[in-house]
Amino acid sequence: MESKNKMVAEARLFVRLGLLSFMGFVFYYAHLFFGLLDNVVLFKTLAITFLLATIPLPIIAVNNKKLFPELNSSGKAVLTLATTLLLFHHFLMTFIFVLFLKGESMF
């Protein structure tokens, strides 16, 4: 029974981190197009926070074979690819935000 509880806890963690990472999409593009935050320190901190929340997703997807038992091997490969692309996206957006943006919108 303990392994089932652990499996459910890891699935919950994965889903919560995934939702936080998708909230990062909203943050990145809302700030990029509309310049919603005027505080430079706050938006750089949020960008780094969303990147740090995304880092464990591909690790969990690759290392945990029992994460979503209903998925077949191709579904797990797609999940791994999606989380890896999400990590690369957040890394590049955080790189742009921290190094190049000065607190104003791009457009």
Side-chain angles (χ1 to χ4, degrees):
M1 193 68 175
E2 182 179 322
S3 65
K4 184 172 176 124
N5 290 337
K6 182 181 176 188
M7 190 169 59
V8 169
E10 287 178 355
R12 283 183 187 160
L13 176 67
F14 184 82
V15 169
R16 287 176 184 166
L17 288 174
L19 289 174
L20 186 62
S21 294
F22 281 114
M23 283 176 37
F25 271 114
V26 174
F27 164 74
Y28 287 128
Y29 290 109
H31 183 74
L32 195 63
F33 291 121
F34 303 120
L36 296 178
L37 296 174
D38 291 332
N39 189 351
V40 176
V41 175
L42 180 64
F43 91 85
K44 288 182 180 185
T45 304
L46 281 173
I48 293 170
T49 302
F50 287 124
L51 173 65
L52 291 177
T54 307
I55 290 173
L57 288 176
I59 297 169
I60 294 171
V62 168
N63 291 335
N64 194 350
K65 303 296 181 203
K66 298 178 184 177
L67 182 63
F68 296 112
E70 313 78 50
L71 288 177
N72 55 10
S73 62
S74 63
K76 289 183 181 185
V78 168
L79 180 67
T80 303
L81 179 66
T83 57
T84 305
L85 289 175
L86 184 66
L87 176 63
F88 286 144
H89 172 270
H90 281 23
F91 175 76
L92 291 174
M93 292 298 284
T94 302
F95 183 78
I96 290 169
F97 272 35
V98 171
L99 291 181
F100 299 120
L101 292 183
K102 303 293 185 224
E104 66 272 355
S105 65
M106 289 291 290
F107 302 106

